[in-house]
Amino acid sequence: MATEISKGDKLYEGKAKILYKGIETGTIIQYFKDDATAFNNQKKGTITGKGIINNKVTELVMNNLERIGIPTHFIERLSDREQLVREVDIVPLEVIVRNVVAGTMAKRLGIEEGTPLMRPLIEFSLKDDDLGDPLIAEEHILSLDLADDEELSEIFDMTHQINDFLRGMFAGIGINLIDFKLEYGRIFDEDGIGYRLVLADEFSPDNCRLWDMKTNEKLDKDRFRRDLGGEVEAYQEVARRLGITF
Ligand code: 5GP
């Protein structure tokens, strides 16, 4: 497989990905970098090989989710670091799912990390780096018209289905899916009025917490965020258990 594919203009460079225009109208090429940032860009580094693993984990997750009926922006993987996706209008929300208390929830509410939740919790943050992605309520979303009632209930339904599926998928390889972040996008019809909501962005150890079921060892970006070391090996271990070659 070619290492890189011909692509159009660069549209955006983010912390972990670069987006290029695809050759076909309405498509985008996502290029996955090894760069890692944390705490809203205050900590910067690289995790060697991360881009390749995140590209392939995202491919596997998106394909599996499509199979259970979740619409996604994913079209196909093009190379080790590139995948073709549909262009979407991103809903400016970070949809956070939590099965176990960790990270900012543990800090904010003073609850010990690792405390299981009675039922999965869905939280929303406003997608705005300058503001540090502040937590917002459903009422903010509706009052600010970031999404309407119908979309919000679709987001809840899809997110619960995704969580149920992924918890099972990771449990099958001895990993506890603690929490994760999703983003959704709108794909408009040709009339520019009708649209459908799809899962967008990526799913990888960059945006979820994965703990080994037996040892509780962290197999995700917290190894980098918290200076635990062994982040390259942790990403490789997740890929290996998922049957991904890299
Ligand atoms: P927390 O709110 O505890 O920092 O994050 C909850 C979950 O969402 C974690 O799995 C974390 O990786 C993911 N997450 C939250 N915000 C972001 C973000 O801005 N970027 C990425 N990549 N993941 C995020």
Side-chain angles (χ1 to χ4, degrees):
M1 187 179 290
T3 11
E4 279 196 29
I5 240 77
S6 68
K7 40 195 181 271
D9 297 340
K10 191 198 256 196
L11 295 172
Y12 167 81
E13 179 153 5
K15 291 173 256 180
K17 291 193 292 291
I18 307 175
L19 303 185
Y20 298 92
K21 250 187 189 323
I23 301 303
E24 217 177 291
T25 315
T27 63
I28 299 272
I29 293 171
Q30 296 198 127
Y31 178 96
F32 288 75
K33 302 192 284 185
D34 284 351
D35 296 349
T37 64
F39 313 118
N40 210 9
N41 260 335
Q42 287 172 44
K43 181 177 161 74
K44 288 185 181 160
T46 51
I47 302 175
T48 308
K50 168 174 89 80
I52 297 173
I53 289 175
N54 286 359
N55 186 21
K56 293 183 178 182
V57 172
T58 298
E59 174 192 24
L60 181 125
V61 167
M62 294 286 178
N63 277 335
N64 281 345
L65 291 175
E66 286 274 356
R67 263 182 228 124
I68 62 155
I70 303 289
T72 80
H73 73 157
F74 184 78
I75 302 173
E76 63 175 335
R77 183 165 63 80
L78 300 172
S79 71
D80 272 359
R81 289 182 184 270
E82 294 159 309
Q83 58 180 239
L84 188 67
V85 300
R86 274 180 223 297
E87 189 172 14
V88 302
D89 280 16
I90 206 84
V91 178
L93 296 173
E94 297 202 335
V95 180
I96 312 271
V97 187
R98 300 183 188 274
N99 296 307
V100 173
V101 177
T104 56
M105 183 181 183
K107 247 198 201 141
R108 200 182 321 114
L109 302 181
I111 304 171
E112 197 182 340
E113 274 209 320
T115 308
L117 289 162
M118 284 297 288
R119 55 179 219 177
L121 171 69
I122 298 181
E123 286 177 348
F124 299 97
S125 294
L126 181 67
K127 199 172 142 52
D128 187 325
D129 281 344
D130 293 339
L131 298 175
D133 301 334
L135 188 68
I136 56 172
E138 268 176 74
E139 292 298 319
H140 286 95
I141 297 172
L142 297 172
S143 296
L144 296 168
D145 199 24
L146 302 174
D148 65 22
D149 251 325
E150 207 178 307
E151 284 177 308
L152 207 50
S153 81
E154 225 183 308
I155 287 176
F156 270 110
D157 286 350
M158 280 204 260
T159 303
H160 278 298
Q161 276 185 64
I162 293 168
N163 185 40
D164 287 347
F165 176 80
L166 292 180
R167 275 179 98 172
M169 188 186 95
F170 281 107
I173 54 168
I175 290 176
N176 198 354
L177 178 60
I178 304 298
D179 57 27
F180 56 96
K181 186 250 317 176
L182 300 176
E183 294 185 22
Y184 288 92
R186 300 178 179 109
I187 298 181
F188 282 86
D189 299 339
E190 271 172 24
D191 62 12
I193 302 166
Y195 64 87
R196 62 199 178 97
L197 205 59
V198 299
L199 180 65
D201 195 45
E202 66 174 284
F203 186 97
S204 73
D206 266 12
N207 53 26
C208 63
R209 288 194 171 92
L210 303 170
W211 295 1
D212 181 87
M213 275 184 159
K214 283 202 192 113
T215 63
N216 274 344
E217 188 192 359
K218 295 178 182 12
L219 298 171
D220 55 65
K221 199 173 151 192
D222 272 352
R223 300 210 72 85
F224 168 79
R225 293 188 188 103
R226 301 180 184 190
D227 292 322
L228 301 174
E231 49 269 40
V232 173
E233 293 77 8
Y235 278 64
Q236 287 176 353
E237 176 63 12
V238 172
R240 192 190 61 75
R241 290 198 203 182
L242 287 170
I244 291 170
T245 50
F246 49 91

